[in-house]
Amino acid sequence: MPNSSLPTDFIPISVSTLIPSQIMDADLYRADESARRLVLYRGSDYPLTIEDLQRLRERGVSRLFIESDRRDDYQQYLRKMVFESDSESSLPVSARTEALGAVVRDILQNAFAGGDANETIQSAHELGTLTANILSEDTFAASDLSRVLSHDYATFTHSANVAFYAGVLAKHLGYSKEDIQQITTGGLIHDLGKLEIDDKILSKPARLDEREFREIKRHPTLGFIQVAERSDVTCGQLMMVYQHHERLDGGGYPVGVTANEIHPWAKICTVVDVFEALTSHRPYRTPMAKARAIELMQRDLGTAFDPEIFACWEEITRNCWHN
C-alpha cells in the first residue's frame, strides 16, 4: 500500500506493467528518497524507454504513481494489453500477467458492486477465457502467480485469487485448456451467493456469532439457486458454487455429501479457497504465512481435502513461495 504520508489524490501503478511500445496518456510520478512526497518522473508526452525501465528496476523501484483522476486511462491501457495481446505478442508474459490481475479485479469489483448475478457471470466467462489463455502458455510459470494476486479483504478480490489459484492447480493436474478456462470461470463465481448476504456480516471486524455464521453458510445454496438453470454454466462450475464448502468426510455444508459425491472441480476449489482465506487479510486477523497455511491444512488431509489434489497444490506452493 502507498505510504500514508503520500498525497491521497494519487494511485500507485506497477512498473512491470509499463511497456515502451504502449502509450498511456498520464504523467508518471515517483516517490522521493524520503518516500514522503511525489515528484514528476515522466510527462505523458515523454515516452518511456527500455533503458528507463531497466534503471528503475536496478534502483528497486517497483511502483510509480499517477493522478487518481487518470485511473480510467490506466485501466484502458491495461485492458489493451490484456485484450489485444496473445501468446504471439511481443509483450512479456510477466507484464501481461500483472495487467490481467488488475483488469480482472477491476471488472469483477464493478460486477459485484452492482449486485447483478447475470453481469457477474457474463464478466466471469470473458475473464476466465483471458486467464486460461495466459495460464496455458508454455512461458507462464506458477511463480508468476504473485503478479496477479491482491490481498485486501473483499469478496471480489477473494474470488479473483481463488480463480487464479484454481486455474494454476488445474493446469498442474493435467486438465485441458478448455477445462482450465471453465474451472477458472467457476472460481470467479464460486462465491456468487454472497451477493445476497448482508455486507455488515461479510466485513464484520470480529469473528461471527452463531446466527451470522448460519447466514454465511447459506451462500453456496443462494449461489446454486442463482445459476442452476443457466445454460451458460456447466455442471462442474455449478458444483464449484454449491460444493466448495463440502468435506470428504461429510462434515461440510450445505448438504454434507461425502467424497465420491463431490465433483472434482469442487475439490480443487475447496483446497484453493481455504488456502486463499488463510493467506489473505481478513477483518479479524492478519494473513498467515503460506508455509504455515499448508501445514495447518495438512491436518485435514483426507477428511476435508482430496489427498492427490492437495499434494499437487503443496508442491506448487513449495516450488513457488518460501514464506
Side-chain angles (χ1 to χ4, degrees):
M1 297 178 62
N3 187 303
S4 59
S5 61
L6 291 174
T8 56
D9 52 347
F10 287 80
I11 60 172
I13 67 173
S14 172
V15 170
S16 296
T17 62
L18 297 177
I19 305 297
S21 61
Q22 301 290 317
I23 298 174
M24 179 174 62
D25 186 22
D27 294 335
L28 299 173
Y29 295 79
R30 64 173 176 80
D32 68 2
E33 292 184 1
S34 67
R36 293 186 178 278
R37 67 187 185 96
L38 297 177
V39 296
L40 182 65
Y41 173 70
R42 282 287 189 280
S44 59
D45 56 348
Y46 193 81
L48 283 169
T49 67
I50 294 176
E51 290 73 23
D52 291 328
L53 295 176
Q54 183 62 35
R55 281 193 290 270
L56 287 171
R57 296 187 184 105
E58 288 173 353
R59 294 181 201 161
V61 177
S62 61
R63 297 184 308 175
L64 293 175
F65 297 81
I66 59 173
E67 293 168 297
S68 298
D69 60 6
R70 308 317 293 261
R71 179 181 180 277
D72 288 345
D73 293 314
Y74 181 56
Q75 274 294 325
Q76 289 302 316
Y77 168 85
L78 293 176
R79 291 180 193 203
K80 183 177 181 180
M81 291 176 62
V82 171
F83 285 96
E84 296 183 11
S85 61
D86 53 33
S87 59
E88 303 301 321
S89 171
S90 60
L91 299 179
V93 69
S94 58
R96 288 187 290 122
T97 299
E98 191 152 358
L100 172 69
V103 169
V104 167
R105 287 191 298 274
D106 186 68
I107 294 177
L108 206 60
Q109 178 180 17
N110 291 334
F112 269 74
D116 187 334
N118 186 60
E119 180 186 351
T120 303
I121 293 169
Q122 289 178 346
S123 298
H125 279 293
E126 182 176 34
L127 297 173
T129 298
L130 289 169
T131 302
N133 286 343
I134 288 184
L135 297 183
S136 299
E137 290 183 25
D138 292 337
T139 53
F140 179 89
S143 56
D144 290 323
L145 200 57
S146 60
R147 298 180 181 277
V148 304
L149 303 178
S150 179
H151 297 290
D152 61 308
Y153 179 70
T155 298
F156 74 88
T157 304
H158 171 70
S159 296
N161 289 353
V162 166
F164 292 131
Y165 283 147
V168 167
L169 179 51
K171 176 182 179 180
H172 282 256
L173 286 168
Y175 280 91
S176 67
K177 182 177 178 179
E178 181 181 357
D179 283 345
I180 293 170
Q181 182 270 319
Q182 293 189 20
I183 290 169
T184 302
T185 301
L188 289 169
I189 65 172
H190 82 283
D191 268 347
L192 194 67
K194 287 184 178 178
L195 290 175
E196 298 188 36
I197 303 295
D198 189 337
D199 190 59
K200 291 180 180 178
I201 295 178
L202 295 176
S203 58
K204 182 180 178 181
R207 291 193 177 277
L208 302 178
D209 61 30
E210 185 176 345
R211 180 194 66 80
E212 293 165 333
F213 187 54
R214 283 201 305 270
E215 183 68 11
I216 282 285
K217 289 173 69 174
R218 294 176 61 228
H219 80 267
T221 301
L222 294 173
F224 177 87
I225 293 171
Q226 288 175 317
V227 301
E229 295 185 2
R230 295 185 65 105
S231 61
D232 58 348
V233 175
T234 68
C235 176
Q237 291 168 337
L238 179 62
M239 291 301 100
M240 289 177 75
V241 172
Y242 193 47
Q243 295 184 327
H244 67 275
H245 284 292
E246 298 288 5
R247 293 168 53 101
L248 302 186
D249 62 2
Y253 64 88
V255 179
V257 293
T258 56
N260 292 335
E261 300 170 294
I262 302 173
H263 194 283
W265 294 5
K267 293 176 182 178
I268 290 174
C269 194
T270 298
V271 170
V272 296
D273 180 64
V274 172
F275 179 83
E276 202 289 327
L278 291 174
T279 57
S280 290
H281 290 279
R282 286 295 180 270
Y284 51 86
R285 62 163 171 76
T286 56
M288 186 179 296
K290 293 177 175 63
R292 172 58 181 153
I294 289 294
E295 180 182 336
L296 187 65
M297 291 173 68
Q298 285 175 332
R299 301 176 185 177
D300 288 325
L301 187 60
T303 55
F305 309 118
D306 180 277
E308 180 182 353
I309 292 172
F310 182 82
C312 184
W313 184 245
E314 183 179 17
E315 181 180 1
I316 292 170
T317 60
R318 184 173 58 248
N319 292 337
C320 299
W321 301 295
H322 305 289
N323 66 327

